[in-house]
Amino acid sequence: MNITRKEFINNVLQLYFGSYPDWREPGPDFDHVDFLKKMLPYAGGNSYRNQPTEELTAKMIRMCQDDGYRGWYGIESSGREEIRKGKELLMKYLK
């Protein structure tokens, strides 16, 4: 049986089941912006990671807001300074 991601997620009738999109780029051929767009309708949280540019970070936050996402953002970054930077960017663009 071959079902789509949407069919799978919609068929699991559990309140606490969903996705937790990770904003990292696991490889050079992975389009993390497209992945976020596909998974946002099912997101119970977002695993925020600093992007290569502030512009890309702002774009991804806007994507979440435009999709109606109003949940949690977990910050994953390498080191305290990057975590502070991530928090500042989230606060700046989540207004």
Side-chain angles (χ1 to χ4, degrees):
M1 184 166 117
N2 195 10
I3 64 172
T4 67
R5 171 183 47 249
K6 183 178 181 179
E7 290 170 331
F8 174 74
I9 292 175
N10 287 337
N11 285 321
V12 177
L13 301 174
Q14 293 292 324
L15 176 62
Y16 300 108
F17 182 80
S19 71
Y20 193 76
D22 192 327
W23 291 24
R24 70 185 171 97
E25 188 172 1
D29 297 329
F30 186 81
D31 184 346
H32 59 290
V33 173
D34 185 54
F35 171 75
L36 179 61
K37 188 184 307 181
K38 289 176 181 175
M39 296 309 292
L40 266 174
Y42 314 105
N46 272 283
S47 181
Y48 170 87
R49 290 179 189 248
N50 296 342
Q51 297 302 304
T53 65
E54 183 174 333
E55 180 181 66
L56 184 55
T57 295
K59 176 182 179 175
M60 292 178 80
I61 292 170
R62 275 193 306 274
M63 283 174 56
C64 292
Q65 291 175 320
D66 291 348
D67 194 69
Y69 177 76
R70 300 292 182 263
W72 294 94
Y73 292 86
I75 299 176
E76 290 186 57
S77 292
S78 56
R80 289 183 181 183
E81 188 55 41
E82 290 299 311
I83 291 172
R84 279 189 209 101
K85 180 181 173 184
K87 182 180 175 185
E88 289 172 9
L89 290 174
L90 281 168
M91 291 174 65
K92 178 178 180 179
Y93 291 105
L94 285 174
K95 292 182 179 184

